[in-house]
Amino acid sequence: MPEQSQRHPPQGTPETAEETPDAPGAESQWYASSALRSRPGTDQQSIFLERWQTADDALLPPLEMLRVVTARWAGMTNAAGDASPALVALRVGASLSPQEVDEWIPGASVRFYTLGGPVAPLSDAALTEPPLARYSLVQAPNMSFWPELRAMIEQQEHEAPGMELWEELEHDLTMLEQELAWWMRRPQGLVLNLYDGDRLAGHLSLARQRDETEGCDGWGILALHIASSARGQRLGTLLQRVASTLILSRRAARRALPPSEVIGAPTAEGAPSDTGSLPAPDPADTQVSQQLPAIAYTREAWPFIFGFVAASNIPALRGAYAAGRSILGTYVDVPLAALES
């Protein structure tokens, strides 16, 4: 199974929204705000429950709420001559197992998780020890690696379709290529490639981001992929820890620079650039040193790394846990048929 994580949650395209007031005659009052979204790759629409609140602050919305919301959307879509939504989707700001979700409403399922947390740096000799010793770790200076990464992603999707968070693969890959090219030119981005000889064995790209919905302020994973020939060696976990080390070393170097050379110092217009890192590497010097800098930082200083992982992608979940990330949010799908029982 592929190891992958994405920063952007796949939720489709928002169409419109409605606030649902307290349910008539309900003993416990509640309100909900929802939006109709088209789900790429299908002819289905889903109702995304954006916000809700109950008198008892329940973690999961009551069944009655979901029935009222879906009935109203069904009436609106039928009146417009559109197909009725097929499911209700929602985010819960907690860790829920598939079993817990199925016990709440039989037939409901966990689609993906948000995972984030402080990631510990590696020791100074990590690159000289197995399994990293057999690989070359490179901070990408340009997009020359993209054709090989794209082929790797397409192969993984062919081998295990639906294991990742792609919605429309061709469109999503085009967007990922543009995103990587954009962040690579900025000090707020970090793109790492792992090579076995001249073959791409792994890839990790991150960007300094703040996600209000997820409550995350740190380094969002844009893409994390390990080639099928290199799986089973904890390389996904190790790449995240290498990234943590490099981010910390950037911070240390930034503090050692004169104020005029610090990235983040006021520009000519007086506006600071928020990076906390050094400029992008020179293309002639992108090989990550065989001796990562020995950095003794407390846990509070470790970079916060976050991303999204499909609930069915067990290797990626294990790799995130091993790196120090934990589940911050659970995205749940509830088929409308499950609400009828």
Side-chain angles (χ1 to χ4, degrees), residues 28 30 77 88-90 111 153 192 235 247 250 258 277 282-283 288 304-305 307 321 323 325:
S28 60
W30 53 263
T77 53
V88 180
L90 57 106
R111 189 177 179 210
I153 294 172
L192 298 175
L235 293 179
I247 292 168
R250 284 180 170 190
S277 58
D282 187 284
V288 176
F304 186 95
I305 295 177
Y321 294 150
R325 295 158 57 198

Side-chain angles (χ1 to χ4, degrees), residues 61-129:
L63 185 60
E64 176 192 35
M65 176 194 295
L66 298 181
R67 285 173 173 161
V68 170
V69 171
T70 56
R72 293 186 177 184
W73 276 114
M76 293 171 61
T77 53
N78 289 339
D82 298 328
S84 297
L87 56 85
V88 180
L90 57 106
R91 178 191 182 276
V92 179
S95 173
L96 294 176
S97 69
Q99 293 75 19
E100 289 175 305
V101 170
D102 187 67
E103 289 173 3
W104 166 55
I105 297 180
S109 61
V110 176
R111 189 177 179 210
F112 60 93
Y113 294 104
T114 314
L115 294 103
V119 173
L122 283 174
S123 66
D124 58 342
L127 295 183
T128 63
E129 300 172 350

Side-chain angles (χ1 to χ4, degrees), residues 28-84:
S28 60
Q29 296 192 338
W30 53 263
Y31 88 89
S33 175
S34 57
L36 193 64
R37 299 176 183 268
S38 60
R39 196 158 268 200
T42 72
D43 57 359
Q44 297 179 339
Q45 298 207 86
S46 65
I47 301 166
F48 187 74
L49 200 61
E50 296 179 323
R51 298 184 303 277
W52 73 86
Q53 186 173 359
T54 62
D56 58 356
D57 291 325
L59 182 62
L60 289 164
L63 185 60
E64 176 192 35
M65 176 194 295
L66 298 181
R67 285 173 173 161
V68 170
V69 171
T70 56
R72 293 186 177 184
W73 276 114
M76 293 171 61
T77 53
N78 289 339
D82 298 328
S84 297

